[in-house]
Amino acid sequence: MHVNVKQDWDLHCHSQFSDGKLSCPDLFNLAVEREIKHLVLTDHDTAAGYRAAIDNNWVPNSLKLHPGAELSCVWKGRSIHVVALGIDVQCEGWLAVEQAYIERREKRFERILFVLRRAGFECDEARIRQIAEPGPPARPQIAQYLVETDQVKSTAHAFKKWLGRGTVGDVKSQWPELDETVKTITQFGGLAVIAHPHRYNLTWTKCKEMLDDFNAAGGEGIEASCVGMNPNMRKFLIEQAQQRGMYISGGSDFHSPNTSWLKLGYFPQWPRPAKLAKDWLLANSQLQGT
Ligand code: AMP
Ligand code: MN
Ligand code: MN
Ligand code: MN
């Protein structure tokens, strides 16, 4: 059996409001095609897609869309992502949080352009902004620009040499700290879930330390059911969640229909019974009436 199983929910995916390839309507249609009942749109640092979907009536009847975002932050100098599930994304306070992220991203974009130009790249700022529309420019769109202008051979290469962890373009000083980010999420009624813990290149000891800090700040969820996570890591994370009484979350982290090995609504199974982030979301949505 393939490790990624078709689920009828997905708590992690992206649209064009961040670095996803699909528009919201196309993403929701795909979700309906896959028979997904509950979807959380978790664009990077924004829930603009959720608000647009509600305002424009984009959500099909058979799909329940829940508000969310994937927030960028740092822990001990490393870039970490935290998924915020079920936050109140319409209130003034949250809108101010999003605005602060847009400003951080603008500052970071300027800095990345500076270091890339210094390294000899030609960067057409207007073109990169155009690729990123309607979102603010982020590293995937910078990588796409470098590929389309034949300055690098692939997106993967752009990340490996120029934009990814440990390279000159890995500018992260502007992000808030992990504990502050968790507090923001809980302040706006959300469940904070540590995103794809296998992608931070941490030893198990360091990972436990991160979970300790995350949990101490009020973070209650671990994304233990991720595409591409090796089974040992998954087992370790599920144990960590169980020992700490934390919620297990899962999702595809879908960005594009062109990625053959990653499909919306497909991710690994978890042991049952389990304390699931999905159940938290269902109970909470009912409370909020969203
Ligand atoms: P940013 O929001 O600007 O920090 O960009 C982070 C995003 O870049 C992640 O959410 C991924 O979608 C994408 N990304 C990270 N590493 C890679 C990589 N090695 N190759 C392609 N895309 C990547
Ligand atoms: Mn992304
Ligand atoms: Mn992420
Ligand atoms: Mn993501």
Side-chain angles (χ1 to χ4, degrees):
M1 190 189 72
H2 198 269
V3 66
N4 297 316
V5 177
K6 185 172 186 280
Q7 316 282 353
D8 67 359
W9 51 282
D10 195 328
L11 309 190
H12 190 158
C13 66
H14 298 268
S15 76
Q16 284 172 353
F17 280 92
S18 63
D19 55 356
K21 294 282 186 208
L22 296 185
S23 66
C24 281
D26 287 350
L27 177 70
F28 304 151
N29 286 337
L30 180 61
V32 170
E33 227 173 81
R34 296 272 156 82
E35 300 169 307
I36 292 170
K37 296 202 175 75
H38 293 275
L39 187 72
V40 188
L41 181 59
T42 54
D43 277 312
H44 296 289
D45 307 327
T46 182
Y50 177 87
R51 289 188 296 271
I54 300 303
D55 290 351
N56 297 294
N57 258 321
W58 284 338
V59 190
N61 284 337
S62 65
L63 180 69
K64 175 84 185 139
L65 182 72
H66 301 266
E70 182 178 10
L71 300 186
S72 312
C73 62
V74 288
W75 177 76
K76 295 194 190 289
R78 299 159 201 265
S79 282
I80 302 290
H81 286 170
V82 181
V83 169
L85 300 177
I87 30 176
D88 177 1
V89 299
Q90 308 275 11
C91 72
E92 296 270 316
W94 174 261
L95 295 177
V97 169
E98 284 193 18
Q99 187 54 38
Y101 273 103
I102 290 173
E103 284 159 23
R104 290 185 186 105
R105 282 191 173 272
E106 279 296 332
K107 272 208 186 106
R108 186 181 71 147
F109 181 48
E110 267 174 41
R111 180 72 198 158
I112 296 176
L113 287 184
F114 175 79
V115 297
L116 289 180
R117 284 176 176 146
R118 195 176 54 187
F121 289 100
E122 175 272 320
C123 296
D124 177 350
E125 181 178 337
R127 173 63 192 144
I128 302 170
R129 286 186 186 280
Q130 189 184 34
I131 297 172
E133 279 291 316
R139 287 180 292 170
Q141 295 101 12
I142 300 172
Q144 187 181 326
Y145 167 80
L146 294 176
V147 173
E148 83 176 22
T149 53
D150 286 329
Q151 298 188 83
V152 296
K153 62 176 192 280
S154 66
T155 301
H157 182 78
F159 268 90
K160 190 156 190 271
K161 288 275 290 190
W162 302 106
L163 297 164
R165 192 175 36 237
T167 69
V168 286
D170 180 21
V171 179
K172 52 184 181 275
S173 51
Q174 73 292 331
W175 299 132
E177 288 290 331
L178 178 70
D179 57 351
E180 189 190 331
T181 305
V182 170
K183 286 182 181 130
T184 302
I185 294 168
T186 43
Q187 182 190 346
F188 294 102
L191 179 71
V193 175
I194 199 105
H196 43 65
H198 63 301
R199 297 234 301 257
Y200 306 128
N201 213 9
L202 298 169
T203 61
W204 286 9
T205 308
K206 266 274 177 251
C207 187
K208 278 187 198 168
E209 225 179 277
M210 178 182 70
L211 293 174
D212 285 341
D213 289 354
F214 178 73
N215 208 192
E220 289 189 273
I222 303 181
E223 222 174 45
S225 189
C226 299
V227 179
M229 181 185 276
N230 85 45
N232 286 338
M233 183 70 180
R234 197 159 76 235
K235 188 163 169 273
F236 164 77
L237 289 170
I238 287 167
E239 277 166 16
Q240 289 300 310
Q242 287 169 340
Q243 281 168 19
R244 296 160 193 267
M246 293 170 80
Y247 292 91
I248 292 172
S249 192
S252 61
D253 201 3
F254 175 85
H255 281 74
S256 162
N258 300 327
T259 314
S260 60
W261 48 271
L262 194 149
K263 292 190 173 127
L264 186 69
Y266 284 76
F267 47 92
Q269 206 52 263
W270 54 91
R272 292 158 202 261
K275 187 173 167 182
L276 286 184
K278 183 198 78 166
D279 295 332
W280 179 93
L281 193 64
L282 297 194
N284 208 58
S285 295
Q286 264 161 11
L287 288 178
Q288 287 188 349
T290 52

